[in-house]
DNA sequence: TGGAGCAGAATCCTATAGGATTCTGCGGCG
DNA sequence: CGCCGCAGAATCCTATAGGATTCTGCTCCA
């Protein structure tokens, strides 16, 4: 079949989802055989997927002793993550305001209706990640976007604290408005305000 | 034997060196079998190493069609890279000036002797990378340091243009002086001046 | 009681084999 | 002359097997 996706890629996504869903506890061992049995594939693609996840910083390898998931972000690392996000994402938003973005679609968030359980939270996280990625792309600097992507900010934040809806959508709208009106410093400020508010929202729960 | 390094890691470093040395041309195909024969290992660890290199952005995978090295940076991407470096490394230098760094060793560059051979250039690149990494570490934000590392800036620059010694050592000394005297804005400026000068030096040769 | 030592089991690491897919060169046709 | 289709070869992807290393639990001794 003209399947354009390889088994290694599917395993990669599956294991990433397992980590995100807390199906694998933070700091727990990830045995290759266990994953291969659970997903009913051979160890080879699992090994390949774990190698990539290690580069992503989601698991760590100890030679001859297997992989373990990275522990949750400490409060200090949480602050460090947002410090880097402020650096990169504010710059991307400011750049986006100088670009032609009339045809760009900035995804909206799902309505923060009453708790839909885990699935709802996961969908919210995914939509928020999509919005931030859209801003990064609109910045027009692919290397900057890659640097933002490799932070895996949403994944790490999701692991420690399921996002609260709050006023996120309004903050997003303010960012989009500043970008579309061609106001770089306004976009920078709006993104900064949004990230600092999000940081405070999540910080409350730790 | 208590060998603390696994074959996959050695292959990873070996292939990275091959790319850096232009032993594998930019944009050329990297066949798993060829690498495994050349290094005299089985394809499995090669596959694992290439998966990691793909996460690093040094090779790209096309499903069912193998890996190819990433092409050289275009002039546009070169500018984008330095834009991100300015964002991250200036912030790291400024942070370093607020930290206790009396015991930190900032590596010096090798004397820019008339050695025009490849080994000399490679040593210069390695020493320059070590200096910039030391500044990133001194910044005290491990996540910021990781973001800088993942840019693989020195590797990409080395591929397109062997570094010219120039006045690099003097610029480095200015950065160290600002950091040690606890002057964040001075460190930021010094790093900015250094990166912009380096950018211009390399830009001349493209 | 607490720590060192050892045997068994589990796991990892590497090598090899077989089916599926893609790439390449050549001939035929418009 | 240029484009399409096809067969052979090369390559990739996955599965399985065997040797090497680490982890675990128990026993023994100070």
């Amino acid at each position: 079949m003209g399947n354009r996706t390889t088994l290694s890629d599917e395993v990669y996504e599956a294991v990433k989802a397992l980590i995100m869903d807390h199906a694998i506890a933070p700091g727990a061992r990830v045995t290759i055989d266990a994953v291969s049995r659970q997903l009913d594939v051979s160890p080879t693609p699992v090994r390949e997927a774990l190698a990539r996840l290690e580069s992503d910083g989601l698991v760590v390898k100890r030679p001859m002793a297997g992989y373990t998931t990275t522990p949750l972000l400490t409060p200090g690392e949480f602050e460090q993550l947002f410090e880097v996000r402020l650096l990169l994402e504010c710059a991307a938003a400011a750049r986006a305001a100088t670009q032609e973005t009339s045809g760009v679609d900035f995804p909206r968030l799902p309505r923060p209706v009453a708790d839909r359980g885990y699935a709802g939270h996961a969908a919210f996280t995914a939509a928020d990640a999509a919005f931030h990625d859209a801003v990064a792309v609109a910045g027009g600097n692919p290397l900057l976007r890659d640097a933002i992507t490799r932070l895996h900010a949403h994944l790490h934040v999701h692991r420690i604290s399921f996002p609260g809806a709050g006023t996120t959508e309004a903050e997003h709208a303010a960012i989009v408005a500043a970008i579309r009106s061609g106001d770089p410093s306004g976009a920078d400020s709006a993104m900064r305000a949004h990230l600092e508010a999000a940081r405070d929202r999540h910080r409350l729960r730790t």
Side-chain angles (χ1 to χ4, degrees), chain A:
Chain A
M1 311 286 284
N3 201 352
R4 285 297 170 193
T5 171
T6 183
L7 193 53
S8 297
D9 296 333
E10 297 177 18
V11 173
Y12 172 80
E13 295 295 338
V15 174
K16 187 155 78 172
L18 286 177
I19 295 174
M20 204 154 173
D21 296 359
H22 293 265
I24 302 177
R29 294 188 48 171
V30 183
T31 66
I32 290 176
D33 290 351
V35 173
S36 67
R37 279 194 300 270
Q38 184 171 348
L39 299 178
D40 197 39
V41 298
S42 79
T44 306
V46 174
R47 173 174 296 278
E48 196 168 335
L50 287 175
R52 280 204 281 165
L53 287 169
E54 190 198 14
S55 277
D56 291 348
L58 273 63
V59 300
V60 293
K61 180 175 88 158
R62 222 171 4 147
M64 299 291 171
Y67 291 87
T68 59
T69 56
T70 53
L72 294 181
L73 259 54
T74 65
E77 290 168 333
F78 178 85
E79 301 296 325
Q80 293 168 7
L81 171 64
F82 273 82
E83 185 181 337
V84 180
R85 287 190 73 181
L86 284 166
L87 265 178
L88 294 175
E89 297 202 39
C90 290
R95 278 196 55 117
T98 69
Q99 308 286 113
E100 170 56 40
T101 56
S102 58
V104 175
D105 175 50
F106 295 101
R108 305 284 298 273
L109 294 177
R111 182 134 2 108
V113 84
D115 263 0
R116 191 72 73 176
Y118 168 72
H121 288 306
F124 188 90
T125 291
D128 193 55
F131 172 82
H132 282 266
D133 185 60
V135 174
V137 171
N141 183 333
L143 272 66
L144 177 56
R145 185 230 183 174
D146 289 345
I148 293 172
T149 300
R150 284 196 285 258
L151 287 177
H152 293 284
H154 287 83
L155 194 149
H156 288 299
V157 171
H158 183 86
R159 286 179 79 196
I160 61 175
S161 154
F162 290 159
T167 56
T168 304
E169 177 61 27
E171 294 164 12
H172 281 194
I175 296 169
V176 173
I179 290 175
R180 292 210 190 281
S181 63
D183 177 7
S185 69
D188 187 299
S189 302
M191 179 62 83
R192 182 172 307 276
H194 170 48
L195 287 176
E196 289 175 345
R199 181 181 60 188
D200 294 341
R201 281 195 290 271
H202 293 297
R203 196 153 47 184
L204 287 177
R205 320 193 166 200
T206 55

